[in-house]
Amino acid sequence: QVQMVESGGRLVQVGGSLRLSCAASGRTFSSYTMGWFRQAPGKEREFVAAVSWSGRDTLYSESAKGRFTISIDNTKNTMSLQMNSLKQEDTAVYYCAVRSSGISRRVSSYSYWGQGTQVTVSS
């Protein structure tokens, strides 16, 4: 079965940086898309960034653009999210997920999800 495991979340100060990682296992993921999402308390889960399995295509939310960088190592089935210039509003549980087709920001189109990793940005 497919497993997605996130790591790297922690408490960080405003303006700081953090790198999240996601490890995928359980099947061959060629032609899949991997994405990062987040959910703050009392809010809906929202798209952050996505990357095609080849790494050629990326997509970012407006809030992530210019601050976050998504990358993939498809030889190791891992994906990362480098987050810079963090703001308090970036505080959320971050989830990685995978979908079996092209790149998308639609939350419901992703089939497999990790358990999430907490990112807290404090002043």
Side-chain angles (χ1 to χ4, degrees):
Q1 78 221 38
V2 175
Q3 279 195 317
M4 313 288 292
V5 180
E6 304 94 339
S7 61
R10 62 175 174 85
L11 174 66
V12 63
Q13 288 192 325
V14 169
S17 297
L18 199 58
R19 187 176 184 88
L20 304 182
S21 296
C22 173
S25 62
R27 67 173 51 185
T28 302
F29 292 99
S30 56
S31 79
Y32 277 48
T33 293
M34 293 185 76
W36 285 101
F37 298 80
R38 67 187 185 186
Q39 189 166 18
K43 295 189 176 181
E44 292 188 353
R45 192 168 298 187
E46 65 175 8
F47 170 78
V48 176
V51 60
S52 60
W53 193 250
S54 67
R56 284 195 298 267
D57 300 313
T58 58
L59 185 66
Y60 293 92
S61 67
E62 284 303 311
S63 63
K65 210 173 288 185
R67 298 189 301 128
F68 296 180
T69 302
I70 191 170
S71 60
I72 191 167
D73 183 343
N74 53 31
T75 65
K76 297 180 180 179
N77 287 7
T78 58
M79 172 180 65
S80 296
L81 184 69
Q82 177 65 41
M83 304 188 293
N84 299 328
S85 303
L86 283 162
K87 305 174 182 179
Q88 280 190 294
E89 51 262 44
D90 294 318
T91 295
V93 178
Y94 284 70
Y95 299 90
C96 67
V98 66
R99 69 191 298 261
S100 59
S101 53
I103 207 163
S104 171
R105 65 179 69 237
R106 192 159 55 94
V107 174
S108 61
S109 71
Y110 286 75
S111 304
Y112 301 100
W113 293 81
Q115 293 300 306
T117 186
Q118 176 71 48
V119 172
T120 303
V121 185
S122 171
S123 58

